[in-house]
Structure formats: C-alpha cells, structure tokens
Amino acid sequence: MPNIIVIGTQWGDEGKGKVVDLLADKARLVVRFQGGNNAGHTMVVQGELFISHLIPSGILYPDKMCLIGNGVVLDPKVLIDEITHLRGRNISVTPDNLLISKNAHVIMPYHKQIDSGRERVKGKKLGTTCRGIGPCYEDKVARTGIRVCELIDPEVFEEKLSLILPEKNFYLKEFLKCEAVDGASILKEYSAYGEILRPYMADISVVLNQAIKAGHHVLFEGAQGTLLDIDHGTYPYVTSSNTVAGSACCGAGIGPTQIDAVVGVVKAYTTRVGSGPFPTELHDEIGDRLQEKGAEFGATTGRRRRCGWFDAVLVRNAARISSITSLALTKLDILGGLKTLKICTAYRYGGDRLTEFPSELKVLEACEPIYEELPGWSDDISGIQDENDLPENTRAYVRRIEELIETPVQIISVGPARKQTIVFQNPFGNS
Ligand code: GDP
Ligand code: IMO
Ligand code: MG
C-alpha cells in the first residue's frame, strides 16, 4: 500500500496531525494538497508539542521529504515563520526536506483584510479563521490570483498587482470600510518573501511522480474535514477548498490510479469550531465535560470547540464520498468515565427517518438525532498499548462504529502522544 491519503471525516481537528506523524514513519514523502494556514495540526513527540499550519506533519522526521502542493493557498510570511520556528527547535527545514509548488496561490494582505472585514460586517457570520483562505481561493477561480512563482518575477508581479488592486481597494474602502492597501509596499515585502522561498520552489507534480516511479511511499495529508468541504459540506458553513480524498490528486498533480488507500481520521465524538449546524451538539454538562477533558480549543485560533456525540450519519457520508478504506479513531480516552455513551445512527426530520446526510441546510437544522446507547467504561485507557488490555465496553464501542460506518478501524488513539496509539493494522502494511 504505497500511496495513502489521510483525511478528516468530521468538521476538522479529528487528530490528522497525530495520525500523519505516526504513519509518516513508513512513508518517504508527505504532501499537503489543499487548505492553508487555517489548519492547525498537532503532534506530540517525546513530550514536545508541535503545531503545524502549513508544513506537512512529516517534518519531525529528518529523512522525509515534505511537499506543499498546488492546491494549497500559501501565506509566505506564515511559512517563513514556521520554518524559523522549527529551526529554533532543532528541526532541520531546508530545500532538502521541504518543497513548495510554484503553482500554489499566495494569500495576499488584501485577502486577510477582506476575510476579517466580511466577518465584521456580515449579519450571519461564518466564523472563518480570518486567514484569507476564502478570498484567496476566490481570486484563484476568478483567474486574478498571484502564484508562488510570480513572487520572484517582478515584472509579472507588478503588472498583476496593478490590475487587481484598484478593484480590491474599492471593495475594501467603499464596502468593508477598511483601509486601502499600498501596491508598492506589497510588491517590496512579498518580493522579499519570494526571494527567501525561491530555493524551495519546485514543480511538485514532477517531484512526486518521479518519487513514485522510484518506488517511494507517499502520504497525502488532508486539512479540515469532510463536512467543511466546499461541495460536500454544510454549505455555506464550510471552508473554500475540497477537503475530500479526491482533492489530493488535483491538489498535488497525480492521477487517481496512484492511490492505494484512504484513511479517514475520526474523533470518538464530534466537534466543530465556527458557525453552522451540528445535529448532535450537546449544550449540557456532558458537552462541557468533553470540551474540558478533550481540551477542545482550536489549534489555529484558540476558539472553544463545540462538542457532541458521535454522529454515524455524517461519518458514513464521509466514508462514501472519499471511498475510505480504513478509520483511525482518535480521542477514545476522552470518553472514559461516562456511564452511558450515545451514537447517532439516523436523523428524525418531521415524520421521516433520514439515514443519509441532507443537502438542504434548513433540513439539517431541523433534524433531530436518533440515538442508540452503549455502556461506557470507567477506566483510564490512555496508558494502554495492547488492544487486549482495552475494557470490553471500549472494544464494543469501536466495533459498533466499524459496523455503522461499514469500515474497519485500523488505528485507535488513546492520547495525544505518538506512542499513545494502538495499531491493529498499519495501512502501509505491518512489516
Ligand atoms: P487536526 O487538525 O486534525 O490535526 O487535529 P488538531 O491537532 O487540531 O486537534 C486534535 C487535538 O487532539 C490535538 O490537541 C491533539 O494533540 C489531540 N489528540 C489527538 N489524538 C488524541 C487522543 O487520542 N487523545 C487525546 N486526549 N488527545 C488527542
Ligand atoms: P484542521 O486542518 C477545524 C473552519 C472555520 C470555519 C470554516 C471556514 O486543523 O482540521 P476558513 O478560515 O477555512 O474560511 O473557515 O472552516 N475551519 C476549521 N475547523 N479545523 C480546521 O482545520 C479548520 N479550517 C477551517 O472554523 O468554521
Ligand atoms: Mg486542527
């Protein structure tokens, strides 16, 4: 199983960083293919905490090649700061282990201003991360975006800025009532970032396909989660990219025939940060308990995550859309101590019982979860290394999730650290 995609199956923050860090051991390359620094992926290795926003979560291994694909929207200052931060912690980051696509679109200062400006003026806030993600993807699709390779071509960069800035400044000043941006200073600042990043720029599709031909294993690291997907998520309360497995191919420049497996990362309960419908959300002491015990604060914005019971309807939806071949079930330790656990198996909508995730936001907002109950476990499972030592009720909970999602759980995670993981079967193979 040489080439594997890892994606989030819920609303993000399922523990993708941890799972990618774990699986990267058996890969040679780790690739980000969509999203930007709206992502916050946490890794805990030998007691040290790392949060990566742009750099793939394989960077902690000295011998992995990390690639940022064309599908990513890249804030150059954030990337430079992340490289500097990692170096300060004795993690080597050089063009020998990090390359960025020349075709990736650049998040510009006006994208960030528009993102936060809209959140300020809008009646119904989306609750974005205000990192400029949506406005940057908008310009990409409008064919007015600036790509990484254009940062180091002053002529093209200047011309593009001169074409786009009058429109951006009109919108910023007249509609969002914020300050206009200055073309000359952007040109200077971003050209300098371009020069710093010049050695890292590459044709990622070429690098990737050569590596695959040479027989190297590749791990594709998804950001966000299926319900935040621009096409398949809870639109408009979504992010601006495709977060599903299919996105890995066009976001990195590789064909679907090269993909061997798709691992869906799934939290043992559900969380969401930002606005939008959430059928199993808990507004009671159990919700507070999951939030507190699970330390459910956004890794990017620090916002409190909304918490609720496991929702099999939405994870089944994710499994179908991405043809998920196995699940990595995380944060199982957080459920310990609850007498009874609930799993949502379908929604009640008026007199109907829905087993598929509805497209209409109004319908979803009116859905009531139909729960089945399972007995909880009181033990602390965070130190368990062997599946046979797991309490019977924990195993029954895992089995029930496998049944409902019709997908095997190959990995369970019982704590934030790399070693707090039980691997039933490594998706790359156990050898
Ligand atoms: P990502 O965006 O999918 O990579 O997930 P985040 O890093 O944003 O959020 C997951 C959080 O849960 C991080 O703080 C992780 O350190 C933590 N985490 C991951 N797996 C486990 C687990 O099995 N148990 C516990 N207690 N924490 C975990
Ligand atoms: P990782 O990769 C959780 C959410 C935001 C907001 C919506 C749109 O760490 O799982 P955006 O800034 O993307 O335009 O915001 O998407 N969001 C995430 N929620 N985890 C993430 O990434 C997220 N990235 C964006 O909170 O609701
Ligand atoms: Mg996160």
Side-chain angles (χ1 to χ4, degrees):
M1 289 292 179
N3 304 322
I4 296 177
I5 301 172
V6 174
I7 54 147
T9 58
Q10 295 153 317
W11 276 291
D13 304 327
E14 298 90 349
K16 297 176 292 295
K18 168 170 175 170
V19 172
V20 169
D21 168 70
L22 180 88
L23 294 181
D25 186 29
K26 294 204 176 202
R28 171 77 184 96
L29 299 96
V30 185
V31 190
R32 275 282 306 268
F33 53 89
Q34 47 72 230
N37 60 310
N38 47 350
H41 294 180
T42 313
M43 297 158 277
V44 179
V45 180
Q46 288 168 350
E48 278 200 70
L49 176 90
F50 296 88
I51 298 176
S52 97
H53 299 287
L54 266 174
I55 296 182
S57 302
I59 199 71
L60 302 184
Y61 296 87
D63 58 339
K64 310 297 172 194
M65 177 53 104
C66 291
L67 306 178
I68 297 181
N70 55 278
V72 169
V73 285
L74 189 141
D75 186 327
K77 180 161 187 327
V78 170
L79 180 60
I80 293 165
D81 286 349
E82 209 164 307
I83 294 172
T84 311
H85 174 82
L86 284 169
R87 285 187 183 152
R89 297 179 67 179
N90 291 324
I91 308 292
S92 164
V93 187
T94 71
D96 287 336
N97 66 343
L98 176 70
L99 292 173
I100 59 179
S101 169
K102 290 182 182 179
N103 288 349
H105 277 248
V106 180
I107 299 179
M108 303 297 289
Y110 45 84
H111 292 141
K112 291 183 264 191
Q113 270 180 251
I114 292 173
D115 199 356
S116 44
R118 279 185 190 152
E119 285 293 287
R120 206 175 48 242
V121 302
K122 236 184 217 159
K124 263 192 167 179
K125 293 187 198 322
L126 293 181
T128 74
T129 59
C130 294
R131 300 299 194 263
I133 306 295
C136 183
Y137 277 119
E138 283 170 37
D139 277 356
K140 173 177 175 172
V141 176
R143 294 157 294 182
T144 52
I146 289 165
R147 293 175 304 150
V148 161
C149 59
E150 290 154 2
L151 293 178
I152 53 170
D153 184 335
E155 225 172 278
V156 174
F157 190 16
E158 189 168 8
E159 191 194 347
K160 281 196 140 183
L161 274 181
S162 69
L163 286 173
I164 198 166
L165 285 187
E167 190 186 321
K168 295 296 173 198
N169 278 335
F170 180 79
Y171 184 66
L172 283 170
K173 277 195 303 192
E174 303 302 324
F175 187 73
L176 295 176
K177 310 286 180 214
C178 26
E179 265 186 44
V181 294
D182 174 52
S185 54
I186 292 181
L187 186 66
K188 190 163 171 246
E189 182 183 348
Y190 281 71
S191 297
Y193 295 148
E195 287 310 320
I196 296 172
L197 294 176
R198 183 192 279 271
Y200 296 88
M201 296 180 194
D203 185 328
I204 293 305
S205 171
V206 171
V207 174
L208 193 53
N209 282 281
Q210 277 171 354
I212 291 171
K213 259 197 190 141
H216 294 304
H217 293 190
V218 185
L219 193 56
F220 294 87
E221 175 178 4
Q224 291 80 54
T226 304
L227 272 296
L228 289 171
D229 182 280
I230 186 77
D231 286 290
H232 301 284
T234 44
Y235 192 88
Y237 297 100
V238 292
T239 190
S240 298
S241 65
N242 284 110
T243 62
V244 297
S247 179
C249 292
C250 48
I254 183 189
T257 50
Q258 303 286 6
I259 304 300
D260 300 283
V262 180
V263 177
V265 185
V266 55
K267 209 176 266 190
Y269 47 98
T270 313
T271 62
R272 171 163 210 174
V273 57
S275 321
F278 178 174
T280 62
E281 183 170 12
L282 290 166
H283 298 282
D284 58 9
E285 66 281 8
I286 297 181
D288 290 345
R289 184 195 161 113
L290 292 173
Q291 199 277 328
E292 279 154 32
K293 193 172 175 199
E296 295 293 356
F297 290 99
T300 297
T301 57
R303 289 176 293 173
R304 207 179 149 91
R305 293 179 187 144
R306 300 152 65 193
C307 296
W309 292 118
F310 185 86
D311 184 339
V313 181
L314 65 87
V315 180
R316 223 169 23 225
N317 176 62
R320 170 174 40 76
I321 295 166
S322 289
S323 301
I324 288 174
T325 49
S326 72
L327 296 171
L329 184 61
T330 62
K331 302 196 93 158
L332 211 44
D333 53 310
I334 303 304
L335 294 180
L338 290 166
K339 205 163 176 305
T340 304
L341 303 174
K342 291 187 186 181
I343 294 182
C344 167
T345 55
Y347 301 144
R348 190 172 324 283
Y349 174 65
D352 295 334
R353 183 176 183 276
L354 307 185
T355 53
E356 298 295 347
F357 204 74
S359 294
E360 303 84 351
L361 204 67
K362 265 190 189 163
V363 175
L364 185 61
E365 278 166 348
C367 278
E368 297 219 359
I370 299 173
Y371 287 118
E372 73 176 38
E373 295 191 353
L374 281 88
W377 56 91
S378 53
D379 325 38
D380 173 10
I381 62 168
S382 63
I384 293 181
Q385 305 268 302
D386 186 327
E387 61 171 299
N388 297 315
D389 296 335
L390 286 170
E392 182 44 40
N393 288 351
T394 314
R395 282 197 266 174
Y397 187 76
V398 175
R399 274 200 304 271
R400 188 64 186 130
I401 287 176
E402 286 185 317
E403 276 167 17
L404 287 166
I405 313 304
E406 296 176 49
T407 310
V409 171
Q410 289 188 331
I411 296 170
I412 66 172
S413 170
V414 294
R418 194 189 272 172
K419 61 177 182 6
Q420 287 175 296
T421 319
I422 301 170
V423 181
F424 302 136
Q425 197 181 337
N426 191 306
F428 278 116
N430 278 343
S431 58

